[in-house]
Amino acid sequence: MNIYISCDMEGVDGIVTEKQSSPTGPFYAFAREQITEEVNAAAQGAFDAGATSVLVNDSHWDMTNLLPEKLDPRIEYITGSAKPLSMMQGV
């Protein structure tokens, strides 16, 4: 089973203002931690349910929000904003 996740900061637990979701905001570092942890939790659930691969597309702002050093090493991810399919790149 292959799983695809397109992640955006709007909707991440505790992210409620642009001061958190904007790369120039004072609480952006917190938001990056949150989105990375939520992606890891979703991927863990997928792997626990039998997924053989999880592909994650970073889809917020400039699309470089996930903290790669903190991602589950089993996750493949797409990052950067030069994506022809934008939020759906990788589908």
Side-chain angles (χ1 to χ4, degrees):
M1 174 173 41
N2 300 318
I3 302 297
Y4 175 81
I5 300 170
S6 179
C7 63
D8 199 354
M9 276 192 188
E10 289 81 11
V12 170
D13 183 44
I15 308 305
V16 297
T17 176
E18 193 170 320
K19 290 180 182 178
Q20 295 168 306
S21 64
S22 169
T24 60
F27 306 110
Y28 179 63
F30 166 78
R32 291 185 78 196
E33 293 279 346
Q34 286 294 97
I35 195 170
T36 301
E37 290 303 316
E38 286 201 9
V39 163
N40 280 336
Q44 183 64 55
F47 287 124
D48 288 351
T52 54
S53 70
V54 174
L55 175 63
V56 175
N57 182 20
D58 188 338
S59 299
H60 179 76
W61 204 283
D62 65 357
M63 302 179 181
T64 59
N65 305 281
L66 294 171
L67 300 170
E69 69 279 5
K70 294 190 175 185
L71 281 176
D72 183 316
R74 298 172 293 177
I75 293 172
E76 293 179 66
Y77 75 102
I78 304 168
T79 187
S81 60
K83 299 176 189 170
L85 297 177
S86 188
M87 295 180 86
M88 297 309 296
Q89 188 69 36
V91 167

